Amino acid sequence: MSTNLLRLLRRPVPRSVPPRFLQPGLFRQSHFRSFVRQPCSDGLPKSSLLRPFAFRDWSDCLVRQGWRRGVASVGGGRVDVVVPFMGDSVPDGTVSGLLKKPGDSVAVDDVIAQIETDKVTIDVRTTVSGVIEKFCVKEGDTVTPGTIVAAVTEGASTQKEEQAPIPLPSKETDTAEKPAETPKLSTVPPLPSIQTPPPSTQYSPTSPTELQLPPKDRERRVPMTRLRKRVATRLKDSQNTFALLTTFNEIDMTNLIALRSQYKDDFFERHNVKLGLMSGFVKAAVSALQQQPIVNAVIDGDDIIYRDYVDISIAVGTKKGLVVPVVRDADKLNFAEIEKMINGLAKKANDGTISIDEMAGGTFTISNGGVYGSLLSTPIINPPQSAILGMHSTQKRPMVIGDTVMIRPMMYVALTYDHRLIDGREAVLFLRRIKDVVEDPRRLLLDV
């Protein structure tokens, strides 16, 4: 009896509990088994909040309620800055950088650290102004939502330089200011010169099959980022899972380029966005998906899921890796709305501010390697989709139009599809529909 009582008395108890966790009906007592505080490496408590070990989803329980902003108050003028909620499909991340140092002053919404996940980079921000007391994590650590990143002393300011006393002269400083006597250098007799023999001019034969490896000092080993590892895993899983097959076609871009040149100024004046080629291909893909719904479907176990909506994923290459933001309900958007959405998503992807929700889902992907000068390629499917369209650079080539050879701007297009689900007939007809619409955009008006 006495032993159990001592264990209860020694058990650590959290210092404060946020009022939002004490709302009636929010949690039952059975939801929690124990409440602990985990100390970090420097002795700072990992968390002063209740941590649910028996709850099914830790992030849904606490992070959604209290740590979405990434700050937990612990009292005493100190605020713990914690990792915010990063998304339902992102359980953890890696600390990619600490942007501040202990002792630095911060304001509200200052970014003090960045968390790199499999998809995006999350900023850790403060909601109070003060001085960073210390960090509880270091670069390269794996953290989860709710992990304390740093402790901030609220309301403090860095005035060390103003309050620092003026040092008084002392005897030690006086003696230090005196010039020290230069020691006498002892003369050392010169070493006898060593004569090296002249290089041999004789030929030393080596085996022609001997492998000459480069020196190791000319190589660099850099760890892969989480985004790069995630992209590598997904692409390899795509090759291992799908029965990939690619079909090709070529498109005469004359009419689409002429349409863009004729109306680009009026289009920009009306919608305040430039008219590009991507919107034409998105509209063509929507038309082809509506005519061949099997391309918009996906295999799930022993079933086929037909999706009666069209979400087009646009592959965007960034400095950190490939991201695929999604244009939602592309079948309900016009040219201007598609262009605005593509430009906005591409800017967010390059700036690193794109959210996970903006990349989740998607029923079909368009990859434009032509912006980098690619002439022909075989794109890889983005799981869990069933097909991907690859665009390439436009080049002028001689083409036979009727009985006449003419110079036309031509583009190769490729469709990689899952042959387990999509037959060659549907794939060829799908790509043919895109060719017809791009070569004659008036088909979209007449629906023919």
Side-chain angles (χ1 to χ4, degrees):
M1 178 67 179
S2 60
T3 305
N4 295 335
L5 182 59
L6 289 175
R7 289 179 179 175
L8 290 176
L9 292 176
R10 293 174 181 174
R11 187 176 184 177
V13 179
R15 285 181 290 178
S16 63
V17 180
R20 55 181 172 272
F21 294 138
L22 302 180
Q23 297 177 7
L26 184 60
F27 300 121
R28 293 199 302 267
Q29 188 175 0
S30 60
H31 286 170
F32 302 91
R33 288 185 194 159
S34 60
F35 311 122
V36 299
R37 283 185 300 157
Q38 299 178 352
C40 64
S41 58
D42 54 8
L44 208 77
K46 267 290 184 186
S47 176
S48 60
L49 299 179
L50 302 180
R51 304 193 71 176
F53 287 87
F55 204 83
R56 181 187 65 83
D57 191 345
W58 144 256
S59 62
D60 286 343
C61 176
L62 285 185
V63 178
R64 286 183 181 275
Q65 296 293 334
W67 286 346
R68 186 177 293 272
R69 285 289 296 165
V71 174
S73 176
V74 297
R78 194 190 71 195
V79 175
D80 288 342
V81 182
V82 301
V83 177
F85 176 69
M86 298 185 292
D88 295 329
S89 60
V90 182
D92 56 21
T94 302
V95 180
S96 60
L98 301 177
L99 308 183
K100 299 288 185 178
K101 296 179 180 179
D104 291 351
S105 60
V106 293
V108 178
D109 255 0
D110 276 1
V111 179
I112 64 172
Q114 288 185 329
I115 310 298
E116 185 182 74
T117 68
D118 298 342
K119 299 180 179 179
V120 295
T121 300
I122 305 295
D123 292 334
V124 180
R125 300 176 179 270
T126 62
T127 57
V128 296
S129 59
V131 175
I132 296 179
E133 182 178 335
K134 58 181 66 178
F135 281 97
C136 281
V137 296
K138 59 181 181 297
E139 293 187 14
D141 287 354
T142 300
V143 295
T144 57
T147 302
I148 289 184
V149 176
V152 177
T153 303
E154 186 177 1
S157 60
T158 56
Q159 299 178 354
K160 296 182 180 179
E161 296 182 358
E162 298 178 2
Q163 298 177 358
I166 301 175
L168 298 176
S170 61
K171 295 181 179 180
E172 297 179 357
T173 57
D174 294 341
T175 58
E177 292 177 357
K178 294 181 179 180
E181 296 181 359
T182 57
K184 297 181 179 180
L185 299 177
S186 59
T187 59
V188 179
L191 296 176
S193 59
I194 301 175
Q195 296 181 357
T196 58
S200 176
T201 58
Q202 297 180 357
Y203 171 74
S204 58
T206 57
S207 174
T209 59
E210 183 179 354
L211 181 61
Q212 300 294 330
L213 296 177
K216 293 296 183 181
D217 57 354
R218 294 168 59 186
E219 297 178 352
R220 291 183 297 116
R221 183 180 294 270
V222 179
M224 295 176 63
T225 62
R226 292 176 66 97
L227 178 59
R228 173 57 58 190
K229 288 190 289 187
R230 180 62 174 171
V231 170
T233 301
R234 286 177 61 86
L235 292 180
K236 191 58 183 175
D237 290 344
S238 176
Q239 288 185 327
N240 295 337
T241 303
F242 298 144
L244 300 177
L245 188 63
T246 306
T247 183
F248 303 92
N249 212 322
E250 57 182 355
I251 298 178
D252 187 351
M253 301 291 293
T254 301
N255 292 332
L256 185 60
I257 292 176
L259 179 69
R260 177 191 179 192
S261 301
Q262 182 177 357
Y263 295 104
K264 63 179 182 180
D265 295 336
D266 296 337
F267 189 88
F268 182 80
E269 183 179 355
R270 174 75 178 271
H271 304 287
N272 196 26
V273 65
K274 294 182 179 180
L275 177 61
L277 299 179
M278 283 298 299
S279 57
F281 275 90
V282 170
K283 297 294 288 185
V286 168
S287 177
L289 289 171
Q290 291 173 344
Q291 289 194 2
Q292 303 295 333
I294 191 63
V295 181
N296 204 42
V298 66
I299 294 178
D300 185 16
D302 296 333
D303 301 326
I304 299 176
I305 300 178
Y306 287 89
R307 293 173 285 202
D308 298 329
Y309 59 94
V310 179
D311 289 346
I312 303 294
S313 302
I314 307 296
V316 178
T318 65
K319 295 180 180 179
K320 294 185 177 180
L322 181 68
V323 295
V324 191
V326 181
V327 178
R328 307 288 182 187
D329 295 324
D331 53 329
K332 301 177 182 179
L333 304 178
N334 55 29
F335 281 81
E337 293 170 338
I338 293 174
E339 290 290 350
K340 290 180 180 179
M341 188 166 293
I342 291 176
N343 292 340
L345 292 174
K347 186 178 185 301
K348 287 184 178 181
N350 290 319
D351 295 342
T353 59
I354 191 168
S355 65
I356 298 175
D357 294 338
E358 292 172 322
M359 296 189 296
T363 62
F364 183 78
T365 298
I366 298 178
S367 175
N368 186 8
V371 295
Y372 307 110
S374 174
L375 181 62
L376 193 62
S377 66
T378 55
I380 301 177
I381 295 176
N382 178 28
Q385 302 173 8
S386 298
I388 178 174
L389 175 67
M391 299 169 53
H392 302 92
S393 60
T394 301
Q395 292 188 347
K396 292 183 177 181
R397 296 197 299 270
M399 302 297 297
V400 178
I401 308 299
D403 294 332
T404 306
V405 177
M406 303 178 65
I407 303 298
R408 292 296 183 98
M410 304 298 296
M411 174 191 291
Y412 288 120
V413 289
L415 178 71
T416 299
Y417 58 96
D418 187 1
H419 207 2
R420 301 176 305 165
L421 176 65
I422 305 171
D423 295 331
R425 174 181 176 274
E426 285 78 10
V428 172
L429 291 177
F430 177 90
L431 201 55
R432 179 69 189 186
R433 176 61 182 177
I434 291 181
K435 172 182 172 66
D436 293 340
V437 172
V438 173
E439 290 185 345
D440 189 2
R442 295 174 297 180
R443 290 178 176 272
L444 293 174
L445 299 176
L446 302 176
D447 194 18
V448 293

